[in-house]
Amino acid sequence: MLLGQAACNFVAFVTPSCLIDAKSHRSALYSTGHNDDLWKAGAPVNEWKSSLPLPENTLDNPLLTERARSAMEGRHPPALEGRCNVNLEGFNGLSWLHVDPPVLIVDNFLSYNECDEILKLQSVSLPPGAGRVIKLDSRVSNSNIKNSSDTAIRSSTTWYVRYGAPAVAPLLNGLLKLLPTIKLEQCEEVQLVKYIGGGQGFGWHEDVLSANEANPHAGGQRIATLLVYLNDCENGRTLFRDLRGEDNQRLGVTPSKGRALLFFPAVTGSTVLCDTAAILDLPQKTFGDAIFDGTRADHRTSHAGEPPGNNGEKNIAQIWIHSQDHIPRVFGRGLNRHAEARLDYSDE
């Protein structure tokens, strides 16, 4: 479906002050230098007793292995209760990386060509139909979420893309296939992010919004993060500070062109697994306080983006999904509509 396609193509170079209307879902931005120490992976780990790695990564603890296996069983596994419904059978490349909190990847979520078409949106000369793109040059931002290690620091370049840009149609259609109970109206604007060299990355942070930011106008809390890597990168992993992968090492996802990463910054309502987690982790607080939409931040999902290393480059496309309909404001109210997206209804 395509409505109101923009008639011109241009890149808008804006300063952070131009994004005041987006304050409900964006942290304050400011320009400064970078500190390489912030990107190192040596932050202390919070040992969450509720954390459930994959069964094969818990073989030294049979009880934990059984808990992990049980949490993954069925078409609607307990590990996904209180999160978005995930189409576990619709993607050949889908696999679990962590059980609770759930972390999944989908290899070949986008084709190489689809990734290349999205990357063209970073060019000064935009492809036909792209409409307006907003670019924020390299900057550092303070996260609104403080972590035990430090305040999250981010240095990167970001492009905001309209829902109607043809290049992001495969991304949006893939998201709706992967999360079949989600509406596009719950999604924030597509963001393209570029990290270059050893000095650009994203320190430890959570994707949830503060209670003030996660208001009805913003569409409530962010309940899911979908991140797609647009190029191969030897370094530049996405690291989860408190989660364990193979050999009891910190869980990390290596950028692979077309690979999607899915996780859930918040849970909705009360579930058996979450209630058990809250008890197991005492005196630590696994989840934040419930806000108006019934969501609670899952503090176990703290993560970071490693720099791609000297002479390296990492490009990602990311979408945050809210608990309710999100009003897009980055381009100005009414200037970027969900209804402009080129959605595929061929299966209906």
Side-chain angles (χ1 to χ4, degrees):
M1 176 171 62
L2 176 63
L3 298 174
Q5 180 176 339
C8 58
N9 301 317
F10 62 94
V11 179
F13 293 87
V14 300
T15 60
S17 60
C18 295
L19 298 181
I20 283 233
D21 286 340
K23 187 176 180 181
S24 63
H25 66 282
R26 292 289 299 161
S27 303
L29 306 179
Y30 64 93
S31 297
T32 183
H34 67 262
N35 182 342
D36 289 345
D37 289 341
L38 293 170
W39 317 129
K40 293 183 179 178
V45 173
N46 281 343
E47 295 292 347
W48 301 102
K49 294 180 181 178
S50 64
S51 180
L52 284 178
L54 292 179
E56 55 265 36
N57 295 331
T58 62
L59 296 180
D60 59 337
N61 187 331
L63 182 60
L64 203 61
T65 303
E66 181 55 33
R67 282 179 55 210
R69 284 176 177 161
S70 298
M72 297 173 66
E73 289 180 347
R75 294 185 60 185
H76 303 287
L80 291 176
E81 291 179 1
R83 280 99 176 181
C84 304
N85 183 27
V86 179
N87 181 5
L88 297 172
E89 300 176 354
F91 295 84
N92 291 331
L94 187 148
S95 57
W96 293 71
L97 295 185
H98 198 270
V99 180
D100 187 32
V103 179
L104 302 94
I105 59 170
V106 184
D107 283 329
N108 303 311
F109 184 79
L110 293 180
S111 69
Y112 274 36
N113 181 65
E114 289 167 343
C115 292
D116 292 340
E117 290 300 310
I118 292 177
L119 287 172
K120 290 179 182 178
L121 295 172
Q122 299 177 352
S123 304
V124 174
S125 299
L126 294 173
R132 186 183 179 200
V133 172
I134 291 179
K135 178 183 178 183
L136 291 179
D137 275 316
S138 187
R139 89 279 191 206
V140 175
S141 67
N142 266 346
S143 170
N144 60 328
I145 300 295
K146 300 289 196 304
N147 300 290
S148 61
S149 57
D150 206 341
T151 301
I153 300 296
R154 178 178 185 176
S155 179
S156 60
T157 304
T158 298
W159 291 258
Y160 289 89
V161 181
R162 294 172 63 250
Y163 298 108
V168 299
L171 172 63
L172 297 177
N173 281 291
L175 180 152
L176 296 178
K177 179 182 177 182
L178 180 63
L179 305 176
T181 59
I182 291 298
K183 301 181 300 178
L184 185 61
E185 286 76 11
Q186 294 173 245
C187 299
E188 289 188 29
E189 294 86 349
V190 177
Q191 295 182 39
L192 310 182
V193 185
K194 181 191 294 289
Y195 301 96
I196 299 176
Q200 292 195 348
F202 200 166
W204 300 110
H205 67 284
E206 299 176 30
D207 284 350
V208 287
L209 299 173
S210 69
N212 289 332
E213 290 178 315
N215 56 56
H217 298 291
Q221 187 57 273
R222 290 170 175 166
I223 58 173
T225 296
L226 182 72
L227 184 155
V228 182
Y229 303 100
L230 301 177
N231 67 297
D232 293 323
C233 183
E234 183 176 352
N235 300 304
R237 296 174 299 168
T238 302
L239 293 171
F240 290 86
R241 188 187 64 195
D242 305 331
L243 307 185
R244 293 299 182 182
E246 294 182 0
D247 299 322
N248 203 36
Q249 298 298 306
R250 177 173 276 150
L251 181 64
V253 182
T254 300
S256 178
K257 191 170 183 176
R259 169 180 288 169
L261 168 64
L262 174 67
F263 60 97
F264 307 91
V267 298
T268 303
S270 177
T271 72
V272 173
L273 207 58
C274 290
D275 290 346
T276 301
I279 296 173
L280 288 173
D281 290 329
L282 288 174
Q284 292 192 93
K285 195 172 182 180
T286 318
F287 305 103
D289 295 331
I291 62 173
F292 78 95
D293 58 3
T295 60
R296 297 176 291 163
D298 189 339
H299 298 311
R300 300 171 298 175
T301 60
S302 179
H303 59 287
E306 282 186 326
N310 295 335
N311 302 318
E313 178 177 305
K314 179 174 70 172
N315 291 280
I316 64 172
Q318 64 184 20
I319 303 178
W320 283 302
I321 298 96
H322 286 251
S323 63
Q324 300 179 359
D325 288 359
H326 169 75
I327 301 175
R329 296 182 178 180
V330 170
F331 290 85
R333 188 181 292 271
L335 298 180
N336 178 35
R337 297 179 296 163
H338 293 95
E340 296 174 355
R342 299 169 180 248
L343 300 183
D344 181 6
Y345 294 110
S346 60
D347 291 335
E348 294 187 0

